Amino acid sequence: MFRTSGYWFAALFVGALFAFWPRYLSRFGEGIDRYTHFHAAVATIWCLLLIVQPFLIGAGRRDLHRRLGALSWVVGPLLFVASVLLTSARFRAMDPATFATDGSRRGPVRTAPFLGRVVAAKAVVVGTVAFLAGLAAAGGAVL
């Protein structure tokens, strides 16, 4: 699984490019707010890390893998912050009529469980990274 994970992440990234083409990438300079750009930039960095990391291990570049892996301690929380800022900006931009129809389906009450799952998933990722860092440190201490 780990030998091919870089390819799977790359395929997902290409899928994301197609998914975001109509509403974001095709209109890149057309008055899109800074929160969307921030979220897109941080999410792109996160995805690129997911793609590059397995290939670095496969190429025997553990040193570079570890250095780039340290970025995930910054990029992961930034992605969470970017997601919350974007969600908040989108809700604030809705007029009362739109919020009553569209926002009620994705409103704060319905979004809270989703954000709770996002926080839990990010905690699992950060916990896994911490666990793997501990293993790497323990392995380095043994060597």
Side-chain angles (χ1 to χ4, degrees):
M1 176 172 88
F2 294 114
R3 292 179 190 201
T4 61
S5 61
Y7 296 108
W8 288 107
F9 286 129
L12 288 172
F13 184 70
V14 169
L17 292 176
F18 281 109
F20 286 104
W21 179 260
R23 294 192 66 190
Y24 179 68
L25 294 170
S26 67
R27 312 174 334 149
F28 192 72
E30 296 178 10
I32 296 173
D33 62 271
R34 65 181 183 258
Y35 298 113
T36 303
H37 287 311
F38 178 57
H39 176 79
V42 176
T44 299
I45 293 168
W46 181 260
C47 289
L48 293 176
L49 281 172
L50 287 174
I51 294 166
V52 169
Q53 290 291 73
F55 290 121
L56 290 173
I57 289 295
R61 294 297 314 268
R62 285 175 173 39
D63 58 327
L64 188 54
H65 169 83
R66 288 179 183 151
R67 279 188 269 155
L68 284 178
L71 284 176
S72 67
W73 289 97
V74 175
V75 177
L78 270 178
L79 185 55
F80 175 75
V81 168
S83 300
V84 170
L85 288 173
L86 180 58
T87 301
S88 176
R90 293 283 167 87
F91 283 132
R92 283 193 322 266
M94 289 183 185
D95 61 21
T98 303
F99 188 80
T101 58
D102 193 37
S104 65
R105 286 183 281 153
R106 293 187 297 233
V109 173
R110 290 189 177 240
T111 304
F114 170 74
L115 286 178
R117 289 191 298 272
V118 169
V119 170
K122 292 200 185 285
V124 168
V125 169
V126 170
T128 303
V129 169
F131 175 73
L132 293 175
L135 285 179
V142 172
L143 297 176

